[in-house]
Amino acid sequence: MHGSNLRVAYQGVPGAYSEAAAGKAYPNCQAIPCDQFEVAFQAVELWIADRAVLPVENSLGGSIHRNYDLLLRHRLHIVGEVQLPVHHCLLALPGVRKEFLTRVISHPQGLAQCEHTLTKLGLNVAREAVDDTAGAAEFIAANNVRDTAAIASARAAEIYGLEILADGIQDDASNVTRFVMLAREPIIPRTDRPFKTSIVFAHEKGTCVLFKVLSAFAFRNISLTKIESRPNHNVPIRLVDEANVGTAKHFEYMFYVDFEASMAEARAQNALSEVQEFTSFLRVLGSYPMDMTSWSPSPPSSSSSTLSL
């Protein structure tokens, strides 16, 4: 239950926020770094890992679309969620001054979450996306790059021997990333604690069907916490004219929905029975306990919002 002896895959290298999320989800687990999100999925499928902990959305940067696509492509089940406050730092090699910097590198989400703060700090630098935040710190340390800074965690600075030039540089102190826990088998849904259920569906009848689907939840007083659309890769474009002689086209989408109810509840079962009548494809990605742990923004350190000169 507490993560002991579990092998948990995450994307990134030691010091990544995903590693911290894996440790929060499964304390005392054996964290297994993976260089790509899909490798983490495959690690669980091939029994190299028992679980995977992967990010799906951030309060500032929005959804991590790649993982939504991978949830549909693979057959793993969501068995839990964990929310992790994210505290970004600007890291560089010891002795590097801010005026020497020509580039800042980080994961695309890291760059997005610190965009305005970097501008306020007066850094007229190129911004370059890499695979993960801690990987950016590792790259600078391994290659002795003195004109580049990384956006990563304070732990990454400690691991890779970098200095913190600026602390707490996220645009909003309430910066939280939501991670999902994935397993080969689903858990048994319960009603003795708050549960969340994640589904994905497709429809072929236009936006009126989407309204009917959402009404199935509203009628039963089931709160939706997220709705996300992604291109339907199997049928990306549909001709408006059913005879296939027209030129007007519609884009086809898959819809991902999270709602606050357990699949052990009759109202959730009835809602999905109704949804199934209006959709051409429906899959439950998981029904799992909600993360109800409280959190607060990390208090700024003595160097917060200042640059080392």
Side-chain angles (χ1 to χ4, degrees):
M1 288 180 60
H2 303 290
S4 297
N5 302 320
L6 276 180
R7 301 164 299 171
V8 181
Y10 70 93
Q11 187 273 328
V13 299
Y17 294 106
S18 291
E19 182 193 35
K24 182 179 179 182
Y26 299 105
N28 305 314
C29 69
Q30 177 189 349
I32 301 176
C34 302
D35 60 355
Q36 300 292 334
F37 289 130
E38 188 157 23
V39 175
F41 277 84
Q42 293 169 343
V44 178
E45 291 174 330
L46 298 174
W47 294 76
I48 297 170
D50 304 299
R51 302 284 191 275
V53 174
L54 296 171
V56 289
E57 59 181 326
N58 174 267
S59 57
L60 297 181
S63 297
I64 292 87
H65 295 133
R66 175 64 174 160
N67 282 335
Y68 277 96
D69 294 340
L70 291 173
L71 282 170
L72 183 60
R73 182 181 303 174
H74 295 267
R75 298 298 299 184
L76 299 183
H77 302 269
I78 303 176
V79 296
E81 67 173 2
V82 61
Q83 297 183 15
L84 184 76
V86 175
H87 189 82
H88 286 308
C89 302
L90 188 69
L91 313 179
L93 288 170
V96 170
R97 297 163 61 96
K98 69 164 186 173
E99 55 265 31
F100 296 159
L101 297 176
T102 62
R103 179 176 60 158
V104 172
I105 61 175
S106 188
H107 186 275
Q109 286 279 331
L111 293 172
Q113 293 161 22
C114 303
E115 179 180 0
H116 299 302
T117 303
L118 289 177
T119 301
K120 290 179 182 178
L121 290 174
L123 295 177
N124 185 21
V125 295
R127 300 168 191 183
E128 182 178 317
V130 295
D131 285 339
D132 65 276
T133 55
E138 181 187 44
F139 172 83
I140 290 174
N143 295 278
N144 195 35
V145 183
R146 304 193 66 82
D147 66 345
T148 300
I151 296 173
S153 66
R155 183 167 185 268
E158 180 182 349
I159 292 173
Y160 301 110
L162 302 181
E163 286 187 351
I164 299 177
L165 298 183
D167 189 16
I169 64 170
Q170 60 274 6
D171 292 338
D172 191 317
S174 302
N175 182 18
V176 181
T177 296
R178 174 175 169 247
F179 294 78
V180 292
M181 299 131 74
L182 303 175
R184 288 180 292 273
E185 299 294 334
I187 62 171
I188 299 174
R190 294 155 49 179
T191 58
D192 59 345
R193 60 173 296 180
F195 259 62
K196 182 182 291 184
T197 300
S198 297
I199 64 172
V200 56
F201 64 87
H203 61 81
E204 300 173 347
K205 302 296 184 181
T207 54
C208 62
V209 170
L210 180 59
F211 171 78
K212 293 177 182 177
V213 168
L214 300 183
S215 297
F217 296 102
F219 177 74
R220 294 168 176 86
N221 198 30
I222 297 176
S223 298
L224 304 186
T225 59
K226 183 176 181 64
I227 180 168
E228 178 82 16
S229 63
R230 294 293 297 149
N232 186 338
H233 296 294
N234 292 327
V235 188
I237 294 178
R238 174 174 58 87
L239 292 174
V240 174
D241 190 335
E242 293 182 358
N244 290 339
V245 296
T247 56
K249 299 177 177 65
H250 284 166
F251 294 110
E252 290 293 314
Y253 292 96
M254 308 292 293
F255 290 91
Y256 294 80
V257 170
D258 295 341
F259 60 87
E260 293 182 346
S262 168
M263 284 306 298
E265 298 180 61
R267 60 176 184 152
Q269 297 169 12
N270 294 336
L272 290 196
S273 294
E274 183 175 338
V275 167
Q276 200 160 22
E277 297 177 9
F278 304 120
T279 58
S280 57
F281 169 81
L282 173 65
R283 177 176 152 196
V284 177
L285 298 171
S287 189
Y288 48 91
M290 294 174 59
D291 182 2
M292 303 296 291
T293 57
S294 60
W295 62 270
S296 59
S298 301
S301 67
S302 59
S303 60
S304 179
S305 301
T306 62
L307 283 172
S308 300
L309 298 178

